[in-house]
Amino acid sequence: MTSEGKSVAILIAPRGTEEPEFSKPKQAVEDAGGKVTVVSFESGKARTVNGDLDEGGSYTIDKTFSEVKADDFDGLVVPGGTVGADKLRGSDEAIDFIRAFFDQKKPVAAICHAPWTLIEADVLKGRTLTSYPTLKVDIENAGGTWTDEEVVVDNGLVTSRDPDDLPAFCAKLVEEIAAGN
């Protein structure tokens, strides 16, 4: 499957987004021929983290939330990281951006703690997904069904539990973005 010509937004929360959950999906979309735009709160560079505590890589932010809209993209990737997901879910701009992808029925991929943002966006009612296990009750309280699987696809929503699931997560997100929704 190829994402040739597809435009994908990937979110980053400075000093909070989990390094492999950001870099591996970004690379997977690029390797499949897609164009990735890194979106965050402010322009410049952002550092990721490893295991929520150790410093990760540094990445250029291509656009801020105020400069983009879901109309500009074919899909969205929301990486995890406890701190990163919490920063994103606390931002009205980020939540509005995420919700717009669901409104437009575009593919969204969220891993680990990233479903916190989906809970905040109120888009989980009637959906089946997975996440880091500690989000199970949060997801169920938001009207979703939680399952403990490597990767879950529900009508364009791709979710996985943690970095160990990245190979399956990346393959499915590329497939869903290539197919559209």
Side-chain angles (χ1 to χ4, degrees):
M1 212 30 94
T2 178
S3 292
E4 192 72 39
K6 299 287 185 167
S7 180
V8 177
I10 187 167
L11 306 187
I12 190 168
R15 292 191 181 98
T17 295
E18 190 67 23
E19 168 71 27
E21 294 173 9
F22 174 83
S23 62
K24 301 258 186 219
K26 180 179 184 297
Q27 188 66 53
V29 171
E30 292 170 343
D31 287 350
K35 179 186 182 304
V36 178
T37 300
V38 179
V39 180
S40 192
F41 306 108
E42 51 191 50
S43 59
K45 291 205 175 264
R47 291 202 78 83
T48 58
V49 295
N50 286 295
D52 285 329
L53 301 173
D54 298 325
E55 195 167 276
S58 178
Y59 297 90
T60 299
I61 296 164
D62 299 314
K63 300 277 185 178
T64 64
F65 288 111
S66 62
E67 297 174 313
V68 294
K69 55 189 181 301
D71 296 344
D72 301 335
F73 303 98
D74 299 301
L76 172 66
V77 177
V78 187
T82 309
V83 174
D86 194 52
K87 285 180 179 181
L88 290 169
R89 75 176 174 164
S91 163
D92 290 340
E93 279 185 314
I95 296 307
D96 290 345
F97 184 64
I98 292 166
R99 187 181 301 114
F101 281 85
F102 285 88
D103 292 345
Q104 295 176 23
K105 299 183 179 4
K106 292 183 176 181
V108 174
I111 187 168
C112 199
H113 284 80
W116 267 343
T117 65
L118 309 182
I119 292 166
E120 196 68 33
D122 195 26
V123 296
L124 295 184
K125 287 179 184 68
R127 290 192 176 262
T128 299
L129 64 153
T130 193
S131 68
Y132 195 75
T134 58
L135 275 66
K136 178 181 188 247
V137 172
D138 296 338
I139 288 167
E140 291 172 345
N141 287 341
T145 300
W146 187 88
T147 183
D148 187 12
E149 295 179 45
E150 181 179 51
V151 64
V152 176
V153 179
D154 182 332
N155 196 23
L157 173 60
V158 179
T159 53
S160 284
R161 301 169 297 195
D162 58 43
D164 292 339
D165 298 336
L166 278 165
F169 178 73
C170 290
K172 282 296 184 184
L173 78 87
V174 166
E175 183 179 312
E176 288 295 308
I177 290 166
N181 211 14

